[in-house]
């Protein structure tokens, strides 16, 4: 089944999110929050580019605008990718497990699903970290009039990063291939530490300048 959550209205998406439906879930919500955070960075750069006062960082702002558009689209696509990765798993839960052969087939199918499902939030974590780096840069170079938006961007992306991290953990916790699970967790742990630290730097920088 194909999903198109990115083209849903906010009301439609949140209504589906609040329902008893298996998807969307936390992963899809994280993609949406990430796209909002990136959009805030894009707005900050858009109001900075071309201004004489910020001529020295004009090239940086143009680069950030381009990167933000790419990341925003990737974050929205992650909403559907998360649902598509979970769908096969929901079917595995319905597989019979009365005999040894059935249980073995079910376990193998679940392992395959978990591998795929674990990669989606990990890639979203990478995206969030890239977005956080841009928010940090904007907190230092962006227009003073949009400083709060750069801080909001960092806060939103930090929330999305933390949410995606939880999804990596829950998927890897059920994997029987512990070597593969450990490799994914090691990458996720590193992204989490670096992303949260940089988000705090960006948010703290903005807060100090505003107070």
């Amino acid at each position: 089944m194909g999903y198109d959550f990115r083209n849903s209205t906010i009301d439609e998406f949140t209504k589906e999110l609040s329902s008893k439906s298996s998807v969307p879930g936390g992963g899809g919500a994280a993609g949406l929050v990430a796209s909002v955070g990136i959009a805030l960075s894009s707005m900050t750069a858009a109001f900075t580019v071309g201004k004489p006062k910020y001529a020295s960082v004009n090239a940086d702002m143009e680069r950030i605008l381009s990167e933000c558009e790419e990341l925003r689209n990737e974050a929205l696509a992650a909403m559907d990718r998360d649902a598509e990765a979970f769908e096969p798993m929901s079917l595995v839960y319905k597989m019979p497990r009365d005999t040894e052969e059935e249980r073995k087939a079910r376990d193998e199918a679940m392992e395959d699903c978990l591998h795929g499902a674990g990669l989606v939030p990990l890639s979203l974590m990478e995206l969030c970290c890239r977005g956080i780096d841009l928010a940090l840069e904007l907190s230092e170079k962006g227009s003073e009039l949009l400083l709060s938006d750069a801080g909001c961007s960092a806060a939103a992306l930090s929330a999305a990063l933390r949410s995606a991290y939880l999804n990596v953990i829950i998927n890897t916790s059920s994997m029987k291939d512990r070597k593969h699970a450990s490799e994914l967790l090691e990458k996720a742990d590193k992204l989490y530490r670096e992303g949260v630290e940089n988000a705090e730097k960006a948010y703290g920088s903005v807060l100090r300048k505003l107070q």
Side-chain angles (χ1 to χ4, degrees):
M1 177 179 179
Y3 294 94
D4 192 22
F5 290 127
R6 66 177 296 164
N7 287 315
S8 301
T9 66
I10 294 173
D11 182 59
E12 289 170 344
F13 180 77
T14 54
K15 191 173 291 183
E16 190 69 17
L17 186 63
S18 65
S19 74
K20 207 174 178 180
S21 174
S22 299
V23 292
L32 177 60
V33 173
S35 72
V36 170
I38 293 160
L40 284 164
S41 278
S42 185
M43 181 175 72
T44 305
F47 273 94
T48 307
V49 72
K51 300 294 173 63
K53 182 178 179 180
Y54 302 100
S56 63
V57 296
N58 199 69
D60 292 327
M61 294 301 114
E62 290 180 344
R63 169 181 50 78
I64 289 173
L65 281 171
S66 176
E67 290 184 38
C68 281
E69 184 60 17
E70 176 188 344
L71 291 176
R72 186 182 66 82
N73 279 303
E74 288 181 13
L76 290 173
M79 296 168 65
D80 295 331
R81 288 179 61 218
D82 180 78
E84 288 161 3
F86 182 80
E87 185 181 23
M89 196 180 301
S90 65
L91 297 176
V92 171
Y93 285 125
K94 299 175 182 177
M95 291 176 66
R97 47 180 173 176
D98 298 322
T99 67
E100 184 64 31
E101 289 77 13
E102 288 175 343
R103 287 191 290 272
K104 182 179 178 182
R106 186 179 185 275
D107 288 345
E108 289 175 352
M110 178 60 74
E111 187 75 3
D112 287 341
C113 290
L114 289 169
H115 281 220
L119 293 175
V120 175
L122 185 65
S123 66
L124 182 58
M125 288 185 73
E126 292 171 343
L127 183 153
C128 288
C129 285
R130 289 169 62 193
I132 288 169
D133 288 343
L134 297 179
L136 178 58
E137 187 174 357
L138 286 164
S139 73
E140 299 165 348
K141 302 177 181 177
S143 169
E144 294 174 0
L145 299 175
L146 277 293
L147 265 180
S148 61
D149 295 294
C152 289
S153 172
L157 285 162
S158 179
L161 174 70
R162 292 167 184 267
S163 300
Y165 183 50
L166 293 178
N167 280 288
V168 174
I169 292 173
I170 194 169
N171 282 308
T172 54
S173 67
S174 299
M175 289 181 184
K176 296 187 182 299
D177 184 347
R178 298 315 302 164
K179 181 176 183 295
H180 181 67
S182 295
E183 290 171 352
L184 290 182
L185 275 175
E186 185 177 350
K187 293 177 183 177
D189 289 344
K190 185 173 184 292
L191 289 168
Y192 177 78
R193 288 193 303 270
E194 293 177 354
V196 169
E197 181 180 353
N198 285 334
E200 287 298 319
K201 283 181 182 177
Y203 189 86
S205 174
V206 169
L207 196 59
R208 285 189 297 273
K209 290 175 181 177
L210 293 178
Q211 288 177 327

